[in-house]
Amino acid sequence: MSTVVLDGAHIATVDASGSEFASGHVVITGNRITAVGPGRAPDVPPDARHVDASGCLITPGLVNTHHHLYQWITRGLAVDATLFGWLTTLYPVWGRIDADLVHTAATGGLTWLAKTGCSATTDHHYVFPRDGGDVLHAEIAAAQRVGLRFHPTRGSMDLGRSRGGLPPDNVVEDIDAILAASEAAIDDYHDTSFDAMLRIGVAPCSPFSVTGDLLKQTADLARRKGVRMHTHLCETLDEEDFCRQRFGCSPVEYVESLGWLGPDVWLAHAVHLTDPSIAALAATGTSVAHCPTSNARLGAGICRSRDLRDAGVAVGLGVDGAASNEACSMLEEVRHSLLFARARGGPEALTVRDALDMATMSGARVLGRADEIGSLEVGKLADLAVWRLDTLAHIDIADPVAALVLGAPPPLELLMVNGTSIVEHDRPVTIDEDTLARDVRTASRTLSKRAGAR
Ligand SMILES: [Zn+2]
């Protein structure tokens, strides 16, 4: 088995006691972390790869808990709209995607995530055009090509406009088809092993695009198969109004009545939460994917991250789709989570280390991978990011973690996923970035021409 030794770096382990080493080492054997601590690495085999990481900060790889990768080729549309206005502009465009376009879009989105320090990501894919081919397979193939740890969800919509939903009827599917396809995706791809690179979840889209029947039956399926459940909830006040008018209760009460709170559920956004709703999430072990940039871009509001954390709810960070966050940088989410929390709740609303925790260990909890990833500890999988902090942008910032969270995005010296280098010196290892950029442009123009969007 190959060994990689990194030393000379400031190491933020994000373990339970927040251990940090001002000049420390990490040793990786195969796909596991086999040593982490202060000073030089002990007992290095002579054929080990040695990485001099002096001037760098090593953190766990960042964990992205909410995304829509296909949106990488529908960026910059409806840029000044509300969520519902933005969605109704974009649904007809999204309705024309196919497997080839999704493969290119996902390769673009995943490569960019890697460049921003992300080693593990979910995806919420909920648009399955009838003649679009196997779009879920297309994004799984993209993740295998780029090399990220991947937790895609088989999403769905079954509540079209003619039945009071928001999406047009031609982008929704039949409930039986959704359940059959979800079960097939789990059977084909879900890997329960400790070092799994691929796990499947299920994810009806949102209260205004799916029926209660679909939510209920998807929950039954997920629990029968032992997979995690994901949906959008409490993103905007429009959604709150929709639920009160249609169901006579809050969004959290609505999904709770359908079996959608629990330790196997994570909710994207959770911006508009009452105190009883926060208590319900805490009591049931439900977790949250907080997407500060997307929420601000759509003017939706800001998640009560401090209150949720204080209540014991696991809050991870998510970039959300690129159509509502053209940057899709995981590191930017860390910075925004801190700035927006303080803008909302004052100077003590979040510490820089809270923000790093949300992007790493808490994100791992949200995806059900707390034992395997999210911190730098012996026995865990070797997913880590090495950030260069000795250039003009960061040189001599007193606190390296503050330099990462509050400073400009630093060069990414190295990103390792499962013990393999995915990014080195800011360049992807597995993908030719310039060719990919041209492919993304072609795919984006193909889709907009097909949809008549420009
Ligand atoms: Zn989303």
Side-chain angles (χ1 to χ4, degrees):
M1 262 194 289
S2 64
T3 300
V4 181
V5 177
L6 304 104
D7 60 18
H10 186 103
I11 297 170
T13 66
V14 199
D15 66 9
S17 47
S19 308
E20 293 188 21
F21 308 107
S23 177
H25 64 269
V26 180
V27 179
I28 294 159
T29 308
N31 67 354
R32 306 283 173 101
I33 296 169
T34 48
V36 54
R40 309 280 296 182
D43 309 327
V44 177
D47 57 346
R49 176 186 172 194
H50 177 252
V51 177
D52 176 4
S54 47
C56 296
L57 166 67
I58 304 181
T59 66
L62 308 184
V63 178
N64 178 37
T65 59
H66 186 63
H67 208 337
H68 311 287
L69 286 163
Y70 73 94
Q71 294 179 6
W72 197 257
I73 56 169
T74 65
R75 292 186 289 170
L77 302 173
V79 292
D80 299 315
T82 63
L83 174 70
F84 280 16
W86 173 86
L87 280 170
T88 46
T89 303
L90 281 156
Y91 282 137
V93 183
W94 295 339
R96 308 304 301 272
I97 59 171
D98 62 28
D100 285 346
L101 294 176
V102 168
H103 180 80
T104 301
T107 307
L110 289 159
T111 301
W112 191 253
L113 279 177
K115 285 191 55 149
T116 64
C118 175
S119 55
T121 183
T122 186
D123 191 57
H124 184 176
H125 190 91
Y126 53 85
V127 184
F128 292 88
R130 268 173 209 95
D131 51 357
D134 192 343
V135 294
L136 185 66
H137 175 77
E139 66 169 13
I140 288 171
Q144 288 167 341
R145 192 174 153 213
V146 177
L148 291 200
R149 206 176 291 285
F150 197 35
H151 283 224
T153 56
R154 206 300 178 179
S156 51
M157 300 191 290
D158 74 330
L159 185 64
R161 203 164 291 157
S162 63
R163 296 166 68 200
L166 195 68
D169 288 349
N170 66 347
V171 300
V172 305
E173 297 176 278
D174 169 74
I175 189 165
D176 293 330
I178 291 166
L179 293 166
S182 301
E183 183 155 6
I186 298 163
D187 291 342
D188 289 348
Y189 300 116
H190 188 63
D191 178 359
T192 57
S193 64
F194 181 87
D195 46 8
M197 292 293 288
L198 181 61
R199 281 194 191 163
I200 302 292
V202 290
C205 191
S206 60
F208 49 83
S209 61
V210 307
T211 61
D213 271 352
L214 178 61
L215 282 164
K216 178 95 190 51
Q217 291 188 51
T218 304
D220 293 344
L221 171 69
R223 288 178 175 137
R224 180 161 58 81
K225 305 292 279 188
V227 302
R228 297 179 82 76
M229 301 152 56
H230 181 47
T231 191
H232 294 99
L233 205 74
C234 301
E235 182 172 1
T236 64
L237 291 171
D238 287 342
E239 180 196 318
E240 170 99 21
D241 293 344
F242 179 92
C243 288
R244 294 223 175 264
Q245 279 168 22
R246 197 174 166 102
F247 314 118
C249 60
S250 75
V252 169
E253 288 165 337
Y254 173 58
V255 298
E256 184 168 29
S257 74
L258 298 165
W260 267 79
L261 296 185
D264 50 359
V265 178
W266 86 103
L267 305 172
H269 305 304
V271 170
H272 299 281
L273 293 176
T274 59
D275 290 347
S277 293
I278 290 178
L281 300 192
T284 54
T286 308
S287 52
V288 164
H290 170 29
C291 306
T293 309
S294 171
N295 294 155
R297 198 281 205 180
L298 288 166
I302 291 301
C303 173
R304 296 171 61 184
S305 53
R306 173 80 275 155
D307 298 333
L308 284 162
R309 284 172 64 85
D310 286 348
V313 176
V315 180
L317 297 180
V319 297
D320 204 358
S324 64
N325 175 7
E326 278 72 6
C328 272
S329 157
M330 251 325 276
L331 184 58
E332 194 171 78
E333 299 311 315
V334 184
R335 178 179 160 93
H336 286 169
S337 72
L338 179 129
L339 295 178
F340 298 166
R342 289 190 187 174
R344 184 183 201 283
E348 293 177 344
L350 211 68
T351 71
V352 294
R353 283 165 177 79
D354 286 339
L356 181 62
D357 170 82
M358 290 201 294
T360 54
M361 197 57 228
S362 289
R365 271 191 204 104
V366 169
L367 296 188
R369 301 295 298 265
D371 292 339
E372 298 109 311
I373 59 173
S375 62
L376 302 177
E377 295 180 79
V378 171
K380 281 200 157 182
L381 296 168
D383 291 8
L384 58 81
V386 182
W387 311 91
R388 181 155 290 289
L389 296 182
D390 59 1
T391 71
L392 178 61
H394 305 87
I395 190 79
D396 223 28
I397 293 180
D399 175 346
V401 176
L404 180 71
V405 175
L406 298 174
L412 183 60
E413 193 63 32
L414 180 65
L415 178 76
M416 296 192 90
V417 182
N418 213 40
T420 300
S421 295
I422 302 299
V423 177
E424 295 209 22
H425 312 301
D426 262 339
R427 299 290 293 180
V429 173
T430 50
I431 296 284
D432 182 89
E433 191 177 342
D434 300 329
T435 305
L436 175 59
R438 287 193 292 275
D439 291 347
V440 167
R441 178 175 60 192
T442 302
S444 170
R445 289 181 179 182
T446 299
L447 179 59
S448 54
K449 210 165 162 189
R450 202 182 277 175
R454 285 185 193 170

Coordinates of all heavy atoms in Angstrom, one line a residue, residues 158-190:
D158 N -43.9 15.3 -8.8 CA -45.1 14.7 -9.3 C -46.3 15.6 -9.2 O -47.5 15.2 -9.5 CB -45.4 13.3 -8.6 CG -45.9 13.5 -7.2 OD1 -45.6 14.5 -6.5 OD2 -46.7 12.6 -6.8
L159 N -46.1 16.9 -8.8 CA -47.2 17.8 -8.6 C -47.1 18.9 -9.6 O -46.5 20.0 -9.4 CB -47.2 18.4 -7.2 CG -48.4 19.3 -6.8 CD1 -49.7 18.5 -6.8 CD2 -48.2 19.9 -5.4
G160 N -47.7 18.7 -10.8 CA -47.6 19.7 -11.9 C -48.6 20.8 -11.7 O -49.5 20.8 -10.8
R161 N -48.5 21.8 -12.6 CA -49.3 23.0 -12.5 C -50.8 22.7 -12.5 O -51.6 23.3 -11.8 CB -49.0 24.0 -13.6 CG -49.3 25.4 -13.3 CD -48.6 26.4 -14.2 NE -47.1 26.4 -14.0 CZ -46.2 26.7 -14.9 NH1 -46.6 27.1 -16.1 NH2 -44.9 26.7 -14.6
S162 N -51.2 21.7 -13.3 CA -52.7 21.4 -13.4 C -53.3 20.9 -12.1 O -54.5 20.9 -12.0 CB -52.9 20.4 -14.6 OG -52.3 19.2 -14.2
R163 N -52.4 20.4 -11.2 CA -52.9 19.9 -9.9 C -52.5 20.9 -8.8 O -52.6 20.5 -7.6 CB -52.4 18.5 -9.6 CG -52.9 17.5 -10.7 CD -52.1 16.2 -10.6 NE -52.3 15.5 -9.4 CZ -51.5 14.6 -8.9 NH1 -50.3 14.3 -9.6 NH2 -51.7 13.9 -7.8
G164 N -52.2 22.1 -9.1 CA -51.9 23.1 -8.1 C -50.4 23.3 -7.7 O -50.1 24.0 -6.8
G165 N -49.5 22.5 -8.4 CA -48.1 22.7 -8.1 C -47.5 23.8 -8.9 O -48.2 24.5 -9.7
L166 N -46.2 24.0 -8.7 CA -45.5 25.1 -9.4 C -44.9 24.6 -10.8 O -44.9 25.4 -11.7 CB -44.4 25.6 -8.5 CG -43.8 27.0 -8.9 CD1 -44.8 28.1 -8.8 CD2 -42.6 27.3 -8.1
P167 N -44.3 23.4 -10.9 CA -43.7 23.1 -12.2 C -44.7 22.8 -13.3 O -45.8 22.3 -13.0 CB -42.9 21.8 -11.8 CG -43.4 21.3 -10.5 CD -44.1 22.4 -9.9
P168 N -44.3 23.0 -14.5 CA -45.2 22.7 -15.6 C -45.4 21.1 -15.7 O -44.5 20.4 -15.3 CB -44.4 23.2 -16.9 CG -43.0 23.5 -16.5 CD -43.1 23.7 -15.0
D169 N -46.5 20.7 -16.2 CA -46.8 19.2 -16.2 C -45.8 18.4 -16.9 O -45.6 17.2 -16.6 CB -48.2 19.0 -16.8 CG -49.3 19.5 -15.9 OD1 -49.0 19.8 -14.7 OD2 -50.5 19.6 -16.3
N170 N -45.1 19.0 -17.9 CA -44.2 18.1 -18.7 C -42.9 17.8 -18.0 O -42.1 17.1 -18.6 CB -44.0 18.7 -20.1 CG -43.3 20.0 -20.1 OD1 -43.1 20.6 -19.0 ND2 -42.8 20.5 -21.2
V171 N -42.6 18.4 -16.9 CA -41.4 18.0 -16.2 C -41.7 17.2 -14.9 O -40.7 16.8 -14.2 CB -40.5 19.2 -15.8 CG1 -40.1 20.0 -17.0 CG2 -41.2 20.1 -14.8
V172 N -42.9 16.8 -14.7 CA -43.2 15.9 -13.5 C -43.4 14.5 -14.0 O -43.6 14.2 -15.2 CB -44.4 16.4 -12.7 CG1 -44.3 17.8 -12.3 CG2 -45.7 16.2 -13.5
E173 N -43.2 13.6 -13.1 CA -43.3 12.1 -13.4 C -44.5 11.5 -12.6 O -44.9 12.1 -11.6 CB -42.0 11.4 -13.0 CG -40.7 11.8 -13.6 CD -39.6 11.0 -13.0 OE1 -39.1 11.5 -11.9 OE2 -39.2 10.0 -13.6
D174 N -44.8 10.3 -13.0 CA -45.8 9.5 -12.4 C -45.2 8.9 -11.1 O -44.1 8.4 -11.1 CB -46.3 8.4 -13.4 CG -47.2 7.4 -12.7 OD1 -48.3 7.7 -12.5 OD2 -46.7 6.3 -12.5
I175 N -46.0 8.8 -10.0 CA -45.6 8.4 -8.7 C -45.0 6.9 -8.8 O -44.0 6.6 -8.2 CB -46.7 8.5 -7.7 CG1 -46.1 8.3 -6.3 CG2 -47.9 7.7 -7.9 CD1 -47.1 8.7 -5.2
D176 N -45.7 6.0 -9.5 CA -45.2 4.7 -9.6 C -43.8 4.6 -10.3 O -42.9 3.8 -9.9 CB -46.2 3.7 -10.3 CG -47.5 3.6 -9.5 OD1 -47.4 3.7 -8.2 OD2 -48.6 3.4 -10.0
A177 N -43.7 5.4 -11.3 CA -42.4 5.4 -12.1 C -41.3 5.9 -11.2 O -40.2 5.4 -11.2 CB -42.5 6.3 -13.3
I178 N -41.6 7.0 -10.4 CA -40.6 7.5 -9.5 C -40.1 6.5 -8.5 O -38.9 6.3 -8.2 CB -41.2 8.8 -8.7 CG1 -41.4 9.9 -9.7 CG2 -40.3 9.2 -7.6 CD1 -42.3 11.0 -9.2
L179 N -41.1 5.8 -7.9 CA -40.7 4.8 -6.8 C -39.9 3.7 -7.4 O -38.9 3.2 -6.8 CB -42.0 4.3 -6.1 CG -42.7 5.4 -5.3 CD1 -44.1 4.9 -4.9 CD2 -41.9 5.8 -4.0
A180 N -40.3 3.2 -8.6 CA -39.6 2.1 -9.2 C -38.2 2.6 -9.6 O -37.2 1.8 -9.3 CB -40.3 1.7 -10.5
A181 N -38.0 3.8 -10.1 CA -36.7 4.2 -10.5 C -35.8 4.5 -9.3 O -34.6 4.2 -9.3 CB -36.8 5.5 -11.3
S182 N -36.4 4.9 -8.2 CA -35.7 5.2 -7.0 C -35.2 3.9 -6.4 O -34.0 3.7 -6.0 CB -36.6 5.9 -5.9 OG -37.0 7.1 -6.4
E183 N -36.0 2.9 -6.4 CA -35.6 1.6 -5.9 C -34.5 1.0 -6.7 O -33.5 0.4 -6.2 CB -36.8 0.6 -5.7 CG -36.4 -0.7 -5.1 CD -37.6 -1.4 -4.4 OE1 -38.7 -1.0 -4.5 OE2 -37.3 -2.5 -3.8
A184 N -34.7 1.1 -8.1 CA -33.6 0.6 -9.0 C -32.3 1.3 -8.7 O -31.2 0.6 -8.8 CB -34.1 0.8 -10.4
A185 N -32.3 2.6 -8.5 CA -31.1 3.4 -8.3 C -30.4 2.9 -7.0 O -29.2 2.7 -7.0 CB -31.4 4.8 -8.2
I186 N -31.2 2.6 -6.0 CA -30.6 2.1 -4.7 C -30.0 0.7 -5.0 O -28.8 0.4 -4.6 CB -31.7 2.0 -3.6 CG1 -32.2 3.4 -3.3 CG2 -31.1 1.3 -2.4 CD1 -33.5 3.4 -2.6
D187 N -30.7 -0.2 -5.7 CA -30.2 -1.5 -5.9 C -29.0 -1.5 -6.8 O -28.1 -2.3 -6.6 CB -31.3 -2.4 -6.6 CG -32.5 -2.7 -5.7 OD1 -32.3 -2.6 -4.4 OD2 -33.6 -3.0 -6.2
D188 N -28.9 -0.6 -7.8 CA -27.8 -0.6 -8.7 C -26.5 0.0 -8.1 O -25.4 -0.4 -8.4 CB -28.2 0.2 -10.0 CG -29.2 -0.5 -10.8 OD1 -29.4 -1.7 -10.6 OD2 -29.7 0.1 -11.7
Y189 N -26.7 1.0 -7.2 CA -25.5 1.8 -6.9 C -25.2 2.0 -5.4 O -24.0 2.3 -5.1 CB -25.7 3.3 -7.4 CG -25.9 3.4 -8.9 CD1 -27.1 3.9 -9.4 CD2 -24.9 3.1 -9.8 CE1 -27.3 4.0 -10.8 CE2 -25.0 3.2 -11.1 CZ -26.2 3.7 -11.6 OH -26.4 3.8 -13.0
H190 N -26.1 1.8 -4.5 CA -25.9 2.1 -3.1 C -24.9 1.2 -2.5 O -25.0 0.0 -2.5 CB -27.2 2.0 -2.3 CG -27.1 2.5 -0.9 ND1 -26.8 3.8 -0.6 CD2 -27.3 1.9 0.3 CE1 -26.7 4.0 0.7 NE2 -27.0 2.9 1.2

